[in-house]
Amino acid sequence: MAKITFAICEKSFLIRKGLASVIEKIPDTKIIQQIENAEELIVSANNCEADYLILNKKFTTDPKVKKVLSAFSGTTRFILLVNDNNNKVSGIYYDGIIDVNDTQNFILKKIKEITGKNAVIQKNVIPGEISKREADILKNIALGFSNKEIADKLFISVHTVVTHRKNITRKLGIKTVPGLTIYAIINKLIDIDKAE
Amino acid sequence: MLITKNIKMADVIHMNYFTLSALNRFGIELGFGDKSVEVVCKEYKVDPEFFLEIANTFVNKDYFPKKHLQTFSVKLITDYLQKTHHYYHKVKVPEIELLIENMVESCYTQKDNMVLLKKFFNDYKNELLNHTQREEEVVFPYTIAIENAFLNQNPDESILHMMETYSIDVFENEHDNIEEKLFDLKNIIIKYLPAPKDQRLCNKLLYELFNLEQDLNDHSRIEEKVLVPKIREMEKQIINNFTNR
């Protein structure tokens, strides 16, 4: 089974390390990246390879960070890290919230809930041919458009594009963009001359 | 069954022909008669202990003596990894390219698709080349410098500057998953390439792709489970030694 990967974005070294050691107690998880400041976050956000990015809520008050995250076009999902009870963050789609004051067991439970929920959704997808809508998305991926561009073209949210992408990859068993492009050409979703 | 130094080298190959590619990497040629593993290794100036561990990981998927492998010198390990790179570029990749070329040549009904496969693999080849080049030019020299500083009673402080700009953690983070595209290529051929196609060539190609993928997995396992922890431990020791001075 593939590992669930996490990136942690938090200024405090102690909290970062602490959270990493708690999460790694869950089997089949791995912390693949630790980010400590906003600049680094902006640089790595769009090519983040982790399944989940846990980020301190404070970063979202930085307008530049907010801009990057709200137009996010990768497949990573967000989890917020807070240290107060005021949890509202608008404009960014996130899957859950962890409070730094939570007990270890509570944090473990939350992480398992968040990752488990998505795992269940994944299981319910029937493998096989892709739907009409997914074919539209795939066509645009093969033509080289970003998630944001696809979202704008098809009048859907970036988050929906990301979900479609995950489902396409799971159904077809093809992970990379060049691989998806070949699939699209073979199945005549796009014209060979139009592909990059 | 584990291979030991007293077994005949010929029997090692009979046991599992995958060991052939290991022999190839160590530069050992066929025609060794009834000589034992130990004798053949000595003739070719190959460390028999190291050869045995590598050959055993080839024969038995579950056999991976991480701790024992970490006891070998960095030089020995990186030499082996470099030989493996060489094997990919000089043997494996050209074999696959030839098969794909044959598919392009012999196919009349879907030449376009075959040309696509060819381009896909060509891009992959370049990616693999960049990946191994980076290791040979940056990573391996760094690990050898670390080992030298570690073995030296009085290492030069320049090693600390080196460690500031690069560390094995950097390598671990940037070490990307080079097998992903191979996986895609396999699936495209298995599931999506429409018939009619030359089944015989397809099967051969798939066999080679599975083979290369497996080999790459073994290769990165040695990097990630043997080399990285070994170097990380040395880095720690070096820093400790400097702070305790």
Side-chain angles (χ1 to χ4, degrees):
Chain A
M1 191 186 133
K3 288 198 171 178
I4 303 170
T5 52
F6 292 85
I8 298 178
C9 180
E10 157 66 46
K11 213 168 170 182
S12 152
F13 173 79
L14 283 179
I15 295 179
R16 225 162 53 225
K17 290 286 170 189
L19 187 59
S21 73
V22 172
I23 291 175
E24 289 197 327
K25 289 196 168 132
I26 304 173
D28 293 317
T29 57
K30 194 179 179 195
I31 311 294
I32 55 167
Q33 198 182 9
Q34 300 199 16
I35 302 167
E36 51 184 312
N37 55 47
E39 289 77 43
E40 232 183 293
L41 174 62
I42 292 169
V43 173
S44 49
N46 270 324
N47 45 32
C48 183
E49 285 180 1
D51 296 319
Y52 293 93
L53 172 66
I54 303 178
L55 85 154
N56 194 312
K57 200 185 105 183
K58 283 182 194 141
F59 286 109
T60 60
T61 52
D62 182 328
K64 274 192 226 143
V65 171
K66 190 153 188 184
K67 203 175 149 207
V68 170
L69 294 187
S70 52
F72 183 70
S73 62
T75 52
T76 305
R77 288 161 177 270
F78 302 132
I79 298 171
L80 288 184
L81 187 61
V82 299
N83 50 8
D84 51 44
N85 290 323
N86 181 11
N87 295 332
K88 291 265 165 358
V89 173
S90 60
I92 297 170
Y93 186 89
Y94 52 91
D95 279 24
I97 290 172
I98 298 172
D99 194 307
V100 287
N101 299 312
D102 284 342
T103 63
Q104 166 163 313
N105 282 340
F106 198 65
I107 294 177
L108 288 174
K109 202 177 136 219
K110 271 188 184 168
I111 297 278
K112 281 182 193 159
E113 265 174 25
I114 294 166
T115 56
K117 191 174 68 191
N118 291 326
V120 172
I121 298 171
Q122 288 171 11
K123 268 185 204 149
N124 288 341
V125 174
I126 306 151
E129 291 310 299
I130 53 174
S131 70
K132 176 85 181 56
R133 191 57 160 172
E134 284 161 353
D136 284 342
I137 307 265
L138 176 57
K139 200 159 104 183
N140 284 295
I141 296 172
L143 290 172
F145 290 108
S146 73
N147 286 355
K148 176 82 174 65
E149 287 167 320
I150 299 174
D152 289 348
K153 268 177 87 171
L154 302 179
F155 304 106
I156 53 179
S157 76
V158 171
H159 180 71
T160 311
V161 179
V162 170
T163 308
H164 279 307
R165 264 186 106 132
K166 287 200 165 177
N167 288 339
I168 293 168
T169 289
R170 205 156 35 242
K171 284 183 179 177
L172 299 181
I174 302 177
K175 297 177 193 163
T176 65
V177 173
L180 290 171
T181 309
I182 294 207
Y183 175 89
I185 298 172
I186 288 179
N187 288 285
K188 311 218 161 27
L189 291 174
I190 59 167
D191 207 10
I192 192 160
D193 310 319
K194 285 189 189 143
E196 289 174 297
Chain B
M1 186 181 147
L2 278 186
I3 305 169
T4 56
K5 58 185 179 185
N6 297 322
I7 291 178
K8 286 177 192 168
M9 189 61 103
D11 289 341
V12 172
I13 298 171
H14 281 299
M15 228 147 78
N16 189 325
Y17 63 90
F18 280 146
T19 49
L20 275 172
S21 64
L23 286 182
N24 187 308
R25 257 161 261 194
F26 283 101
I28 300 174
E29 287 167 7
L30 297 176
F32 21 66
D34 281 328
K35 286 175 199 158
S36 71
V37 168
E38 192 178 22
V39 173
V40 175
C41 281
K42 289 218 164 114
E43 276 178 14
Y44 283 91
K45 295 196 174 53
V46 171
D47 184 328
E49 289 285 315
F50 187 64
F51 173 81
L52 282 173
E53 292 298 37
I54 296 291
N56 276 316
T57 59
F58 268 78
V59 171
N60 187 344
K61 262 190 180 174
D62 299 322
Y63 183 81
F64 194 67
K66 203 160 71 180
K67 287 281 171 254
H68 187 217
L69 282 168
Q70 282 173 15
T71 61
F72 294 105
S73 77
V74 172
K75 180 86 178 63
L76 198 62
I77 298 170
T78 52
D79 266 357
Y80 171 73
L81 292 172
Q82 214 151 331
K83 278 178 194 142
T84 315
H85 289 167
H86 189 82
Y87 174 74
Y88 296 151
H89 296 307
K90 296 286 177 250
V91 182
K92 279 282 137 201
V93 167
E95 271 172 12
I96 293 174
E97 276 183 314
L98 187 67
L99 284 170
I100 296 181
E101 192 56 48
N102 285 342
M103 282 170 78
V104 175
E105 291 299 315
S106 65
C107 186
Y108 299 103
T109 47
Q110 47 173 331
K111 228 182 187 61
D112 286 354
N113 289 344
M114 298 302 169
V115 171
L116 272 180
L117 286 191
K118 186 176 161 184
K119 185 176 174 304
F120 185 91
F121 188 75
N122 199 41
D123 290 347
Y124 177 75
K125 181 177 100 175
N126 292 333
E127 201 179 303
L128 184 66
L129 196 64
N130 286 336
H131 181 99
T132 55
Q133 252 172 10
R134 167 104 183 135
E135 288 182 0
E136 284 171 22
E137 285 163 12
V138 180
V139 188
F140 296 168
Y142 173 80
T143 60
I144 288 170
I146 288 292
E147 184 179 49
N148 288 340
F150 176 77
L151 296 175
N152 192 335
Q153 294 296 327
N154 258 322
D156 197 64
E157 289 214 7
S158 63
I159 192 72
L160 287 180
H161 299 301
M162 198 171 176
M163 283 162 73
E164 269 166 28
T165 48
Y166 191 80
S167 80
I168 203 68
D169 286 337
V170 175
F171 167 67
E172 205 186 21
N173 284 335
E174 70 180 14
H175 197 219
D176 44 3
N177 188 349
I178 197 81
E179 297 95 45
E180 233 171 38
K181 274 197 186 139
L182 273 187
F183 178 87
D184 281 2
L185 183 57
K186 270 167 31 193
N187 245 350
I188 288 169
I189 299 170
I190 297 172
K191 293 169 77 178
Y192 304 116
L193 205 59
K197 55 199 166 194
D198 190 330
Q199 285 298 340
R200 192 182 51 93
L201 274 175
C202 270
N203 289 352
K204 267 193 188 171
L205 177 59
L206 278 174
Y207 177 82
E208 291 298 335
L209 292 175
F210 272 107
N211 209 287
L212 178 60
E213 194 187 20
Q214 174 67 40
D215 210 307
L216 283 167
N217 277 327
D218 286 345
H219 179 77
S220 33
R221 188 168 63 162
I222 292 180
E223 288 170 346
E224 281 158 17
K225 299 254 155 70
V226 179
L227 192 61
V228 169
K230 188 176 165 77
I231 297 297
R232 188 173 290 136
E233 202 43 52
M234 287 179 171
E235 285 176 339
K236 267 190 216 153
Q237 282 290 335
I238 293 171
I239 290 173
N240 274 346
N241 290 346
F242 272 106
T243 33
N244 293 338
R245 255 187 197 180

